[in-house]
Amino acid sequence: MAAHDASIMPTPLLKDELDIVIPTIRNLDFLEMWRPFLQPYHLIIVQDGDPTKTIGVPDGFDYELYNRNDINRILGPKASCISFKDSACRCFGYMVSKKKYIFTIDDDCFVASDPSGKKINALEQHIKNLLCPSTPLFFNTLYDPFREGADFVRGYPFSLREGVPTAVSHGLWLNIPDYDAPTQLVKPLERNTRYVDAVLTIPKGTLFPMCGMNLAFDRDLIGPAMYFGLMGDGQPIGRYDDMWAGWCTKVICDHLGLGVKTGLPYIYHSKASNPFVNLRKEYKGIFWQEEIIPFFQNSVIPKECTTVQKCYLELAKQVKEKLSKVDPYFDKLADAMVTWIEAWDELNPTKASLSNGKA
């Protein structure tokens, strides 16, 4: 068995430039199956819920673990911007990391296999996506032209073939699809078995529903926009944390000339969450999104906003001005967005290399 494991052990890409962020309330036994792919990397575990509970991590992994007490200690009053009893707490890990890249995964996401039966190294594919340019300004019908065996098709403007830097790599899921509660209820047995061997750049001006359970991004390019909002305990909404981050991030990427890719890699999503519990969390969001999405579609960021932080603070101002009429929650969320940026800048005052969480 040891020889078999050694034979599939990949050469780790960006080993010292990438952190893996995992939110959890349970022991991380799932890491055993990921060991051949993830063990060389540093983990940031964000423990949600009861901070006195001990989280078990398999031997051999290099990690640091933060619970709610740690979040309160490090951020002080600004800890109010970090959600409690919700996987949105993962964004604290983004803040304390000092690496250039982040890969985040949920603890019910297992290693998937491609149609040939080969185990998929999801992190390796995310890295490939992030290190190749995106093409948001003109759609290439042969998908990602930078993948092996593909190129720009006839009629693609040569002036646009350099592409733009890729800020986000959004992966997909086999088995349990990422459905909302109403869809879960009407399709309780539906499973995704289709493996589509493709990576796409999401065009400029197009929003998408970002899922946070198989996601990587360039923290230097877009990190401050990856705020997962106020969700969970004490909030009127849940399960929109990654959606909110995705909408904000896409608008800012479009403004700053950055790219977002979706498609490969796949993970195996092992467990369907309870649709009735999900409906309780989502039901306001299902109504609100009909106003939130037009808000983002029509949002214009002034050209004077040349950094992610300036763009994000501008979005926070627009949220307060235009979405507070939908519900007072958005007034609170806009304030939390500002607090998030203040906390981010406190922990990340320069680009100098610092130990995680020690700023």
Side-chain angles (χ1 to χ4, degrees):
M1 188 68 184
H4 175 70
D5 287 345
S7 70
I8 64 170
M9 185 73 75
T11 302
L13 297 168
L14 304 178
K15 175 181 177 294
D16 299 318
E17 298 179 66
L18 183 144
D19 277 334
I20 299 169
V21 175
I22 305 170
T24 194
I25 58 171
R26 59 181 63 86
N27 292 337
L28 296 181
D29 300 329
F30 89 113
L31 285 173
E32 282 295 350
M33 73 178 66
W34 285 101
R35 187 182 293 276
F37 305 129
L38 303 189
Q39 186 171 351
Y41 296 88
H42 180 71
L43 311 181
I44 298 177
I45 300 163
V46 184
Q47 177 180 346
D48 196 18
D50 182 2
T52 65
K53 181 179 177 180
T54 300
I55 300 293
V57 181
D59 291 341
F61 284 90
D62 173 38
Y63 72 94
E64 55 195 299
L65 186 150
Y66 296 93
N67 60 33
R68 192 70 204 187
N69 293 338
D70 298 315
I71 295 171
N72 291 339
R73 172 179 55 81
I74 292 168
L75 296 185
K78 292 184 175 65
S80 61
C81 72
I82 304 298
S83 299
F84 184 56
K85 295 186 178 177
D86 193 279
S87 65
C89 67
R90 79 176 78 222
C91 62
F92 177 77
Y94 310 160
M95 183 187 285
V96 296
S97 171
K98 299 297 177 240
K99 304 289 178 62
K100 178 172 172 55
Y101 300 100
I102 295 289
F103 171 47
T104 185
I105 187 171
D106 284 5
D107 58 20
D108 62 350
C109 293
F110 298 169
V111 177
S113 298
D114 68 16
S116 73
K118 181 183 177 183
K119 297 296 184 185
I120 298 168
N121 183 348
L123 177 53
E124 182 179 54
Q125 180 63 49
H126 275 302
I127 291 171
K128 288 178 180 177
N129 292 349
L130 290 170
L131 293 183
C132 288
S134 294
T135 53
L137 302 179
F138 200 89
F139 188 80
N140 191 56
T141 52
L142 202 54
Y143 313 125
D144 190 342
F146 297 100
R147 287 190 72 198
E148 186 177 349
D151 211 321
F152 293 97
V153 298
R154 181 171 55 90
Y156 200 101
F158 282 88
S159 59
L160 297 177
R161 293 191 181 194
E162 285 188 6
V164 303
T166 301
V168 180
S169 172
H170 178 257
L172 299 175
W173 345 269
L174 294 172
N175 195 41
I176 306 294
D178 187 31
Y179 285 162
D180 54 32
T183 309
Q184 280 184 293
L185 286 167
V186 297
K187 293 183 171 182
L189 302 180
E190 184 154 292
R191 300 293 181 264
N192 181 34
T193 59
R194 292 194 311 144
Y195 179 95
V196 180
D197 186 12
V199 178
L200 302 175
T201 294
I202 300 174
K204 182 176 181 179
T206 300
L207 296 175
F208 75 111
M210 189 175 83
C211 173
M213 65 179 159
N214 176 23
L215 179 73
F217 59 92
D218 186 321
R219 188 176 173 276
D220 286 354
L221 287 180
I222 202 63
M226 279 288 179
Y227 175 47
F228 276 44
L230 288 176
M231 304 283 153
D233 194 48
Q235 308 302 334
I237 186 174
R239 285 174 55 83
Y240 275 85
D241 51 334
D242 42 9
M243 302 292 167
W244 184 262
W247 295 327
C248 292
T249 293
K250 186 59 168 63
V251 168
I252 292 173
C253 281
D254 287 351
H255 174 75
L256 295 178
L258 303 172
V260 177
K261 292 183 178 182
T262 187
L264 300 181
Y266 283 91
I267 52 84
Y268 184 90
H269 187 206
S270 66
K271 187 178 65 178
S273 48
N274 186 311
F276 296 101
V277 173
N278 290 347
L279 187 60
R280 265 203 313 273
K281 295 177 180 179
E282 292 174 0
Y283 79 96
K284 288 191 175 181
I286 290 169
F287 291 103
W288 290 349
Q289 71 185 13
E290 301 305 321
E291 299 194 54
I292 295 171
I293 291 170
F295 162 77
F296 282 109
Q297 288 173 326
N298 294 311
S299 177
V300 176
I301 298 176
K303 65 179 185 299
E304 294 78 26
C305 295
T306 54
T307 67
V308 176
Q309 282 94 329
K310 288 178 181 177
C311 293
Y312 201 76
L313 291 173
E314 172 63 26
L315 277 181
K317 183 179 81 172
Q318 294 182 22
V319 168
K320 186 177 279 285
E321 289 173 355
K322 298 178 181 178
L323 288 181
S324 292
K325 62 179 174 47
V326 176
D327 192 272
Y329 164 76
F330 290 98
D331 195 61
K332 185 178 179 183
L333 177 57
D335 291 340
M337 293 168 70
V338 174
T339 302
W340 160 264
I341 292 296
E342 291 171 350
W344 182 283
D345 286 346
E346 282 183 15
L347 288 186
N348 300 276
T350 68
K351 286 185 177 285
S353 179
L354 299 169
S355 298
N356 288 339
K358 302 298 190 291

